[in-house]
Amino acid sequence: MSSSETAFTGICARIARAAAQHSAPARLLAVSKTKPAAAVRALAALGQRCFGENYVQEALAKQRELSDLALEWHLIGPLQSNKCREAAEHFDWLHSLDRLKLVAPLARWRPDVRGPLQVLIQVNIDDEAAKSGCSPSEIDALATAVAAQPALRLRGLMAIPAPHEDLALRRAAFARMRGLYDALRRDHPAVDTLSMGMSEDFELAIAEGATLVRIGSALFGARVSAA
Ligand SMILES: *Cc1c(COP(=O)(O)O)cnc(C)c1O
């Protein structure tokens, strides 16, 4: 087996094991930022279909190189208002909606032929100054605004907890996200996605109810730049 195959098989097995223990399925989003299109192609050949990117321009270049493959692209990096058009035109999912003023431009630019953009609201669950995401108290208004747009489909929440060394603190943040997610589902029953957990902590996230884990370095190897 190639090293990418070994990593992929191992991660899939760990996700399945964690999900089985918590009796809920979890999907893998392969985070390919800073990695070449060839690395995405290699994983696609093993059956992975969903890929996450942080930077719009980098993602568009890879999408062009991989246009022969039927992949699902998720934008997971912070979204600037001047990138709403490209986000709406070129991605299947957006994980980082965190303010009301992005909702109308995303809906306006979403091409009809692509169907609705699948939207997650990013929550700044540890209230970190430098991190994107809305505060928990803003989720309701954002969810209502997304739900009112036929060009957008509200699918759930996303978070990146503070990188505490103490894993119990990370787990507590995941648990708080789960509470917010359950509350959101009471008002929006179609919501089905809780995106949380990365290479270092995805099993804890699944234990607290993650349905989609975003994994980069454990699949593709460490990133050279600090992206
Ligand atoms: C980079 C990134 C990931 C993947 O991080 P790893 O630790 O390499 O698994 C997941 N989510 C977001 C939002 C990221 O920016």
Side-chain angles (χ1 to χ4, degrees), residues 151-175:
L152 308 178
R153 182 162 300 149
L154 179 68
R155 295 296 293 269
L157 300 178
M158 180 275 234
I160 314 168
H164 292 296
E165 293 284 334
D166 180 352
L167 290 179
L169 292 175
R170 285 198 216 182
R171 182 160 185 163
F174 290 140

Side-chain angles (χ1 to χ4, degrees), residues 31 33 54 76 158 160 198-200 214-218 223 227:
V31 176
K33 64 180 174 207
N54 287 54
I76 63 175
M158 180 275 234
I160 314 168
M198 316 201 299
S199 290
E200 282 187 2
R214 308 178 310 266
I215 301 185
S217 45
R223 287 179 294 275

Side-chain angles (χ1 to χ4, degrees), residues 137-213:
S137 64
E138 293 168 321
I139 294 173
D140 277 355
L142 274 165
T144 303
V146 172
Q149 297 284 355
L152 308 178
R153 182 162 300 149
L154 179 68
R155 295 296 293 269
L157 300 178
M158 180 275 234
I160 314 168
H164 292 296
E165 293 284 334
D166 180 352
L167 290 179
L169 292 175
R170 285 198 216 182
R171 182 160 185 163
F174 290 140
R176 292 200 304 283
M177 282 302 299
R178 174 58 188 265
L180 297 170
Y181 175 70
D182 288 342
L184 180 65
R185 294 222 296 172
R186 285 195 280 277
D187 290 336
H188 301 271
V191 157
D192 61 0
T193 304
L194 181 54
S195 164
M196 60 186 191
M198 316 201 299
S199 290
E200 282 187 2
D201 54 20
F202 67 90
E203 281 145 324
L204 284 180
I206 292 171
E208 294 297 345
T211 68
L212 183 61
V213 292

Side-chain angles (χ1 to χ4, degrees), residues 105-120:
L106 286 167
R108 170 163 15 98
W109 292 117
R110 182 66 176 176
D112 282 346
V113 291
R114 294 207 58 154
L117 177 68
Q118 312 297 310
V119 175
L120 301 178

